[in-house]
Amino acid sequence: MSTRSRDVVVIGAGPGGLASAMLLRAAGAKVTVLERGDQVGGRTGVIRQDGYTFDVGPTFFLYPEVLREIFSACGRSFDAEVEMTRLEPMYRLQFDDGTIVEATADVERLTEQVARIDPEDAKNVAPYLAENKAKFDVFRPILQRPFHNLGSLMKPDMARAMPLFRPWLTVDQDLRRWFKNPDVRLAFSFQSKYLGMSPFKCPSLFTIVAHVEYGFGVFHPTGGVNAIPRAMARVAREMGVDIRLSEPVERLTFEGRRATGAITKGGTYPADAVVVNGDFASTIQQIVPDKLRRRWTDKKIASKKYSCSTFMLYLGLEGQFPDMHHHTIFLSNDYLTNIREIDAGDAPKEPTIYVQNASVTDPTLAPEGHSALYVLVPVGNLNGNTDWKTLAPLYREKILTRLERLCGHDIRPKIRTELMFTPEDWQAQQGVYRGATFNLAHNLGQMLHWRPRNRFEDVDGVYLTGGGTHPGSGLPTIFESAKIASKLAADDLGLDRAGTIPDIRPAQEEEIAE
């Protein structure tokens, strides 16, 4: 073991970067976090405007177990640092014809609601959830270990998982084994939106997200989901991590193919290891010269498939709306047309709309008697030809009109503050490649070994965390990516306390020469 202090630079103070900083500091490294923005969180940031508080991106918080592990490894209690409310029901699904399904962890109540759509399908609710629990239990270890090469696919855990994997099926096709009614399948495939994909293209593996919700719950952190990265930053600073805001990294320094530091306008930060938490496609192209990259060249990055984007409205409203659930998904009557429009890079004409009315749970988000409404519409990324500067104000009106029909409230007269975000804003303000809010798409050719690796394969001394690397998008998997990247870095650096980082198996098990 090394007795020399090891310097680690973390690029980006998003959830993965902060988790990596905490774990590597606990393992004994000297850690500096360099963040381009003026706050922590990245896409899990916060907007404060005229007394209202909005999460920038994620509003569903799932599977707190992984953060409990990370905080525990740092000698802290996650539950003591972040106040949370478990939502029950978890969210509301509303179809165009007015049919409502309350997504509840009470399987008996859930079965009764499905029976109102299709009595025969309702008989399969409990068996479907049971299979997904078994599937989750088998796949969790796989999503907690690195994939360095093709040999990583040949491990015994992959062989055990294959009967439940069914890689030849999509989420919707897998659901057809249980549910014949397309509305029931749609109700159980909403989770694919966490990955920015449609259930008609998303690999069947991701039905396990249903178990993450129904088995572990959906939570609201008081103050919004950004309360989590704020708590992580607070703990990290108390541990001795140096977090520097408004200091974007311009490029890395190299000796041959090994990264030796990071350069900002403020100076040069030497590093024995660099953890990259920025948006993979945009950040890597900026900080690592194309000539040093063999697998992930600029040309290769441009050729990959990316997730959808989102059109956002953040609305501060006078008045309260107790009849609107904390989370509501208004499902389009023509979901397939929606998907085709999004795939073409367009804004759907009759879109599915997600609305968060978190003020019914958390009064801290708005002035007394007011509400903070978050409206998200899945749209095509910037791979299409949509002129958002022209379309945005027209699309705003379309969404507000559609919301009025769906929820029965014309909220226009009640708007007291407002912010709109388009795919172009995601790219310009958040550094999101092509405005693809959920990173690289999660098709079979871009998962596991085929996704950018947590120990970045193109140069030495660089590690990846976040939605653009293994295991993928969504806060729980991003935190798992931080555990993997931190463990690899700590072992490579010979840190004295590398064993404090939680994992399923030693990282060395994956060392198979290519």
Side-chain angles (χ1 to χ4, degrees):
M1 292 291 182
S2 171
T3 58
R4 181 175 76 81
S5 173
R6 296 290 190 173
D7 292 313
V8 175
V9 168
V10 177
I11 300 175
L18 291 170
S20 299
M22 290 169 64
L23 291 171
L24 285 163
R25 179 64 189 138
K30 178 183 176 183
V31 182
T32 302
V33 179
L34 302 173
E35 166 57 41
R36 70 195 292 269
D38 61 1
Q39 61 169 313
V40 300
R43 267 168 271 192
T44 313
V46 67
I47 297 166
R48 292 190 175 89
Q49 187 166 291
D50 299 328
Y52 300 87
T53 299
F54 309 93
D55 281 313
V56 172
T59 56
F60 276 64
F61 181 56
L62 309 174
Y63 199 56
E65 277 70 11
V66 64
L67 269 183
R68 289 182 178 125
E69 290 180 2
I70 290 170
F71 273 69
S72 177
C74 300
R76 299 298 188 100
S77 165
F78 171 68
D79 296 282
E81 298 289 345
V82 179
E83 179 184 359
M84 293 191 301
T85 301
R86 182 167 180 168
L87 302 179
E88 181 55 40
M90 300 180 292
Y91 49 85
R92 175 179 293 163
L93 295 161
Q94 182 172 322
F95 293 84
D96 249 355
D97 64 2
T99 300
I100 289 175
V101 174
E102 304 278 9
T104 171
D106 184 327
V107 178
E108 184 176 340
R109 284 177 53 210
L110 182 63
T111 302
E112 291 171 356
Q113 292 185 73
V114 172
R116 293 201 294 267
I117 301 175
D118 192 308
E120 288 302 310
D121 278 356
K123 298 173 184 177
N124 287 329
V125 168
Y128 165 71
L129 293 175
E131 184 188 77
N132 267 281
K133 180 186 184 305
K135 190 173 178 179
F136 174 83
D137 291 342
V138 167
F139 271 97
R140 187 184 179 209
I142 292 170
L143 299 177
Q144 290 180 313
R145 67 170 172 88
F147 278 72
H148 292 304
N149 45 54
L150 280 171
S152 302
L153 296 171
M154 309 304 173
K155 295 290 183 180
D157 55 7
M158 285 295 293
R160 288 191 296 270
M162 272 302 165
L164 292 174
F165 189 7
R166 300 183 183 91
W168 57 90
L169 297 180
T170 66
V171 165
D172 182 73
Q173 289 167 338
D174 201 29
L175 286 168
R176 286 172 187 264
R177 299 186 303 110
W178 301 97
F179 308 118
K180 304 304 180 188
N181 190 297
D183 284 350
V184 175
R185 294 200 301 273
L186 202 52
F188 282 104
S189 61
F190 158 72
Q191 298 90 349
S192 63
K193 284 299 178 190
Y194 299 154
L195 307 172
M197 294 188 71
S198 86
F200 307 105
K201 292 189 174 182
C202 190
S204 66
L205 163 65
F206 293 105
T207 62
I208 63 172
V209 184
H211 172 65
V212 174
E213 288 184 344
Y214 289 101
F216 297 96
V218 173
F219 295 83
H220 173 76
T222 300
V225 176
N226 180 254
I228 294 170
R230 291 201 308 272
M232 297 172 76
R234 181 175 64 248
V235 169
R237 286 185 171 115
E238 291 171 359
M239 294 172 67
V241 174
D242 183 10
I243 300 176
R244 303 195 170 208
L245 303 178
S246 301
E247 192 160 353
V249 171
E250 297 177 345
R251 61 184 177 87
L252 299 184
T253 58
F254 289 89
E255 291 181 3
R257 303 191 65 85
R258 172 164 291 280
T260 58
I263 295 177
T264 73
K265 283 187 169 59
T268 299
Y269 294 85
D272 297 294
V274 176
V275 179
V276 178
N277 181 221
D279 181 84
F280 170 76
S282 59
T283 304
I284 285 297
Q285 292 187 82
Q286 176 188 334
I287 65 174
V288 179
D290 189 43
K291 64 183 180 181
L292 290 182
R293 286 182 268 122
R294 293 171 291 190
R295 187 168 182 237
W296 292 98
T297 62
D298 290 353
K299 183 178 179 180
K300 180 66 73 173
I301 288 171
S303 72
K304 293 298 180 178
K305 300 293 185 183
Y306 291 86
S307 77
C308 70
S309 188
T310 56
F311 174 83
M312 314 289 303
L313 293 174
Y314 307 93
L315 305 171
L317 307 178
E318 183 177 356
Q320 295 178 315
F321 305 89
D323 58 324
M324 292 179 66
H325 195 267
H326 186 114
H327 300 296
T328 304
I329 300 94
F330 296 102
L331 294 160
S332 169
N333 188 48
D334 195 351
Y335 201 77
L336 278 170
T337 296
N338 263 211
I339 299 305
R340 285 192 288 268
E341 291 167 327
I342 291 169
D343 286 347
D346 297 332
K349 293 180 176 60
E350 292 296 322
T352 289
I353 300 174
Y354 161 66
V355 179
Q356 184 205 41
N357 179 30
S359 299
V360 296
T361 302
D362 185 354
T364 71
L365 300 176
E368 186 175 357
H370 290 233
S371 302
L373 217 64
Y374 169 114
V375 181
L376 179 153
V377 184
V379 298
N381 64 39
L382 296 177
N383 202 39
N385 297 310
T386 301
D387 177 4
W388 278 104
K389 287 182 174 60
T390 301
L391 179 61
L394 302 174
Y395 208 61
R396 170 193 181 272
E397 287 302 310
K398 175 189 283 289
I399 299 307
L400 293 178
T401 298
R402 184 158 165 74
L403 270 181
E404 180 182 0
R405 182 172 71 80
L406 292 169
C407 70
H409 296 285
D410 180 7
I411 60 177
R412 289 180 181 87
K414 300 179 181 295
I415 296 174
R416 298 295 173 264
T417 196
E418 177 178 356
L419 184 65
M420 181 168 59
F421 239 61
T422 72
E424 291 177 351
D425 295 316
W426 282 116
Q427 180 170 265
Q429 298 185 36
Q430 290 283 335
V432 176
Y433 186 72
R434 294 183 185 170
T437 323
F438 306 91
N439 281 288
L440 284 160
H442 292 75
N443 55 44
L444 284 178
Q446 297 182 171
M447 289 169 52
L448 304 175
H449 158 71
W450 296 281
R451 208 163 180 81
R453 299 169 189 168
N454 302 101
R455 181 193 282 123
F456 188 44
E457 58 267 45
D458 281 356
V459 292
D460 297 327
V462 174
Y463 305 82
L464 303 181
T465 182
T469 186
H470 172 71
S473 294
L475 288 177
T477 44
I478 286 171
F479 291 130
E480 293 290 1
S481 79
K483 287 168 52 183
I484 296 169
S486 300
K487 180 65 175 173
L488 291 171
D491 286 346
D492 290 349
L493 294 173
L495 294 177
D496 294 335
R497 299 195 297 277
T500 62
I501 298 176
D503 68 340
I504 295 298
R505 64 200 71 196
Q508 295 94 309
E509 269 191 32
E510 292 300 311
E511 301 301 333
I512 302 173
E514 295 198 75

